[in-house]
């Protein structure tokens, strides 16, 4: 099951997704990038059905590009979120896309990052921090406690790793590898590809 | 027999009169020039002189179709808008299906196909537009294509459309050399336009398309500099004679 985590910091947005792609009990790919670039300053993190995710993200990317070419200006994150939501909402009662998304973007005009939570039913909400998948159950409380407004990049990265460590520790399905990306005024950059190994204590030895 | 089924019908001597009239409309439009250099493409357009109260920035003749393809046109501006819109959509549609950026010839074919469709359809008239399309092909070579209202298209080293087509083409045929560098290509484009454009360099727009780089519009001052150099050279030649 996919894990996506994202939150907004001081002039940046940090997003992470696990790099597993699987079907039933089999892991097909362990370097799957779920954080798709929409345009120079926006990422759509996708989770759910892989085929639907590909098709839907492709659709959004192409339409955002078309807007840019036609109007010689880029859409704001808010507009892309609304457009994406509209696509999901019209599809839900016809040919639903089974994708849950986190849209993160940096708007040069406002000089601020923003994050949107979208799900396959066509709901959309602007959030400061959020997650999709099983990760959301574990990560929600951590972010509730430790997220603050205007976190520095170092603090933000530490917080993200804290979240991912918890996911690795508690989620019974092995999700060790995560990809962390950042969006800021310079655009999109890959921060780190994290392999998390929680400490394993040998309790039998200690008892002796 | 109703003669209003289609608007484009054959004449007794085998011409499509409407298409030829469309070509006349193109000949009334402001001039556009395209020149291919060794590894650069330059488009030059004559801008229609804007009325005093009109904002000149809203009249743009050189447009981007995709990140790596540009085009300009001569003829009915409103008709060109439709073609440009269709072309832009097709570029994204191609990328949606094939993940690769569209080829210059592919989009030229598409635009030409669209123009031809409108010469053989019910209740429509042909587009009164000829276009010049520039971009780099998959092998990295610069390509310049021209389409016209009949739906013909061909590749050119240098071409001109619009009202000063004849004199500019003659000028280009005389002065074009293969494998020009960027500076030479820009100068040739400007020179070819300066001769025919009334009121000089203020009404010329030049755009440079380099490989893997976004299109660059040459600044007013630079165009004015180059035009000045031409005029000085001309004076010098006249004095020598």
């Amino acid at each position: 099951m996919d894990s996506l985590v994202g939150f907004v910091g001081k002039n940046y947005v940090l997003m992470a997704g696990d790099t597993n792609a699987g079907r039933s009990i089999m892991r097909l790919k362990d370097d799957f990038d779920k954080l798709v670039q929409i345009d120079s300053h926006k990422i759509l993190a996708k989770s759910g059905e892989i085929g639907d995710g590909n098709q839907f993200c492709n659709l959004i990317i192409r339409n955002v590009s078309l807007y840019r070419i036609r109007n010689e200006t880029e859409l704001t994150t808010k507009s892309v979120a609304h457009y994406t939501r509209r696509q999901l909402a019209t599809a839900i009662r016809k040919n639903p896309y089974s994708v849950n998304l986190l849209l993160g973007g940096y708007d040069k005009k406002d000089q601020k990052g923003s994050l949107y939570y979208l799900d396959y039913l066509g709901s959309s909400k602007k959030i400061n921090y959020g997650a999709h998948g099983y990760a959301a159950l574990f990560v929600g409380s951590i972010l509730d406690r430790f997220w603050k407004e205007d976190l520095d990049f170092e603090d933000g990265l530490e917080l993200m790793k804290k979240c991912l460590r918890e996911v690795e520790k508690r989620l019974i399905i092995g999700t060790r590898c995560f990809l962390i990306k950042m969006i800021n005024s310079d655009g999109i950059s890959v921060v780190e590809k994290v392999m998390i190994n929680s400490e394993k204590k040998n309790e039998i030895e200690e008892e002796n | 027999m109703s003669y209003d089924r289609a608007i484009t019908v054959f004449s007794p001597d085998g011409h499509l009169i409407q298409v030829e009239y469309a070509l006349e409309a193109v000949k009334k439009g402001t001039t556009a020039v395209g020149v291919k250099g060794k590894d650069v493409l330059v488009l030059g357009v004559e801008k229609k002189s804007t009325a005093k109260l009109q904002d000149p920035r809203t009249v743009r003749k050189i447009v981007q179709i995709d990140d790596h393809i540009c085009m300009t046109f001569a003829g009915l501006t409103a008709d060109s808008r439709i073609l440009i819109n269709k072309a832009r959509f097709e570029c994204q549609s191609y990328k949606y299906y094939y993940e690769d950026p569209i080829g210059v010839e592919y989009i030229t074919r598409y635009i030409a196909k669209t123009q031809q469709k409108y010469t053989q359809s019910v209740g429509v008239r042909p587009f009164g537009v000829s276009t010049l399309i520039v971009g780099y092909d998959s092998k990295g070579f610069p390509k310049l294509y021209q389409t016209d209202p009949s739906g013909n298209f061909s590749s050119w080293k240098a071409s001109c459309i619009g009202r000063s087509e004849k004199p500019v083409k003659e000028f280009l045929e005389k002065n074009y050399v293969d494998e020009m560098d960027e500076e030479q290509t820009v100068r040739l484009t400007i020179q070819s336009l300066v001769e025919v454009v009334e009121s000089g360099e203020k009404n010329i727009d030049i755009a440079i398309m380099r490989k893997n780089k976004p299109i660059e519009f040459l600044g007013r001052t630079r165009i004015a500099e180059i035009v000045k150099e031409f005029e000085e050279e001309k004076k010098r030649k006249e004095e020598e004679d």
Side-chain angles (χ1 to χ4, degrees):
Chain A
M1 191 42 196
D2 310 307
S3 303
L4 299 173
V5 187
F7 59 81
V8 179
K10 191 179 175 77
N11 297 327
Y12 68 87
V13 180
L14 215 52
M15 297 179 79
D18 72 308
T19 56
N20 274 342
R23 199 156 188 88
S24 166
I25 57 165
M26 185 160 66
R27 183 181 294 137
L28 293 169
K29 214 167 139 67
D30 60 1
D31 55 1
F32 188 56
D33 186 357
K34 294 178 185 166
L35 306 175
V36 178
Q37 182 172 336
I38 298 289
D39 70 15
S40 59
H41 288 76
K42 289 177 199 60
I43 286 181
L44 202 52
K46 55 183 178 180
S47 76
E49 205 64 49
I50 297 180
D52 281 358
N54 282 343
Q55 283 291 83
F56 186 73
C57 284
N58 222 4
L59 179 70
I60 302 297
I61 292 168
R62 288 300 119 234
N63 278 292
V64 169
S65 283
L66 185 59
Y67 184 94
R68 178 172 50 87
I69 298 279
R70 270 192 179 142
N71 302 290
E72 292 172 12
T73 180
E74 289 198 342
L75 281 164
T76 58
T77 314
K78 181 179 166 185
S79 302
V80 175
H82 277 77
Y83 178 78
T84 309
R85 189 211 82 82
R86 172 62 59 188
Q87 295 298 308
L88 288 164
T90 50
I92 187 64
R93 290 181 200 275
K94 286 186 194 155
N95 51 340
Y97 293 103
S98 295
V99 272
N100 295 315
L101 308 160
L102 281 178
L103 173 72
Y106 182 89
D107 294 311
K108 282 203 173 123
K109 200 166 162 211
D110 305 320
Q111 299 199 318
K112 262 203 300 197
S114 44
L115 185 66
Y116 285 83
Y117 175 105
L118 296 112
D119 81 2
Y120 74 105
L121 295 164
S123 59
S124 156
K125 189 92 179 88
K126 185 169 194 288
I127 51 173
N128 287 318
Y129 54 87
H132 271 300
Y134 288 129
L137 304 167
F138 306 115
V139 145
S141 36
I142 296 186
L143 288 168
D144 272 339
R145 186 158 169 201
F146 291 111
W147 184 88
K148 276 196 295 270
E149 218 176 316
D150 285 344
L151 278 168
D152 282 336
F153 177 67
E154 287 81 33
D155 295 336
L157 189 57
E158 237 343 280
L159 179 58
M160 182 59 91
K161 286 190 179 161
K162 204 180 255 178
C163 296
L164 301 179
R165 238 174 271 137
E166 198 64 25
V167 173
E168 193 277 331
K169 192 173 177 186
R170 293 299 177 190
L171 193 55
I172 207 165
I173 309 165
T175 324
R176 279 194 321 279
C177 207
F178 299 88
L179 187 62
I180 308 177
K181 286 191 185 174
M182 173 185 64
I183 316 166
N184 62 3
S185 57
D186 297 328
I188 298 169
S189 51
V190 177
V191 178
E192 232 178 289
K193 192 168 184 206
V194 195
M195 269 286 271
I196 296 184
N197 270 313
S198 59
E199 288 178 310
K200 290 189 171 97
K201 288 194 198 133
N202 194 334
E203 283 174 290
I204 300 170
E205 265 184 43
E206 271 179 31
E207 262 179 57
N208 286 341
Chain B
M1 265 259 262
S2 65
Y3 287 95
D4 54 10
R5 279 266 176 82
I7 292 182
T8 315
V9 290
F10 277 112
S11 71
D13 60 348
H15 289 230
L16 288 169
I17 301 289
Q18 276 301 308
V19 174
E20 293 182 10
Y21 288 168
L23 279 153
E24 288 301 312
V26 170
K27 284 192 197 137
K28 284 207 160 55
T30 50
T31 316
V33 175
V35 183
K36 183 167 71 168
K38 181 166 182 220
D39 50 12
V40 72
L41 291 153
V42 182
L43 284 175
V45 293
E46 168 197 3
K47 284 200 298 203
K48 203 157 110 179
S49 36
T50 50
K52 240 191 186 169
L53 297 169
Q54 196 176 36
D55 185 349
R57 288 171 301 171
T58 54
V59 184
R60 272 275 215 93
K61 268 190 70 173
I62 302 176
V63 290
Q64 246 191 320
I65 299 295
D66 200 352
D67 294 317
H68 60 299
I69 299 181
C70 278
M71 75 178 249
T72 184
F73 61 90
L76 273 57
T77 312
D79 282 8
S80 78
R81 261 204 317 263
I82 305 293
L83 278 177
I84 290 166
N85 218 15
K86 282 186 190 245
R88 283 172 167 164
F89 188 89
E90 179 64 17
C91 286
Q92 296 308 315
S93 181
Y94 183 96
K95 201 154 184 203
Y96 178 82
Y97 286 112
Y98 304 109
E99 200 66 29
D100 278 334
I102 202 169
V104 196
E105 198 194 330
Y106 192 104
I107 192 65
T108 307
R109 250 178 230 281
Y110 176 81
I111 294 173
K113 185 165 75 158
T114 309
Q115 287 184 288
Q116 191 280 339
K117 243 189 251 182
Y118 280 63
T119 68
Q120 208 177 9
S121 296
V122 178
V124 295
R125 59 163 176 79
F127 287 98
V129 176
S130 281
T131 69
L132 287 173
I133 302 151
V134 291
Y136 290 83
D137 69 3
S138 53
K139 297 198 179 90
F141 294 118
K143 282 268 144 71
L144 166 68
Y145 285 94
Q146 180 184 328
T147 72
D148 63 31
S150 65
N152 272 331
F153 75 92
S154 44
S155 175
W156 294 76
K157 291 182 182 172
S159 185
C160 171
I161 49 178
R163 60 172 156 232
S164 317
E165 181 189 332
K166 263 222 181 93
V168 176
K169 259 213 180 120
E170 277 172 19
F171 179 86
L172 288 171
E173 279 174 16
K174 244 190 257 165
N175 295 289
Y176 182 86
V177 285
D178 283 323
E179 314 272 303
M180 288 185 286
D181 66 17
E182 184 180 312
E183 186 65 33
Q184 291 170 309
T185 318
V186 171
R187 293 181 92 87
L188 182 66
T189 314
I190 296 179
Q191 208 169 2
S192 62
L193 277 174
V194 148
E195 312 270 320
V196 294
V197 166
E198 29 185 79
S199 67
E201 81 266 9
K202 275 196 221 95
N203 281 5
I204 298 177
D205 252 352
I206 301 287
I208 304 173
M209 187 110 222
R210 300 183 190 89
K211 208 197 298 193
N212 296 330
K213 291 217 174 80
I215 189 173
E216 186 200 320
F217 284 93
L218 213 53
R220 285 264 80 84
T221 41
R222 182 80 189 110
I223 300 177
E225 266 172 37
I226 297 180
V227 170
K228 211 169 153 194
E229 286 168 28
F230 288 149
E231 289 176 353
E232 284 171 3
E233 238 185 88
K234 224 180 178 179
K235 258 191 226 160
R236 242 181 290 135
K237 280 209 178 128
E238 282 172 10
E239 280 168 15
E240 279 171 22
D241 294 336

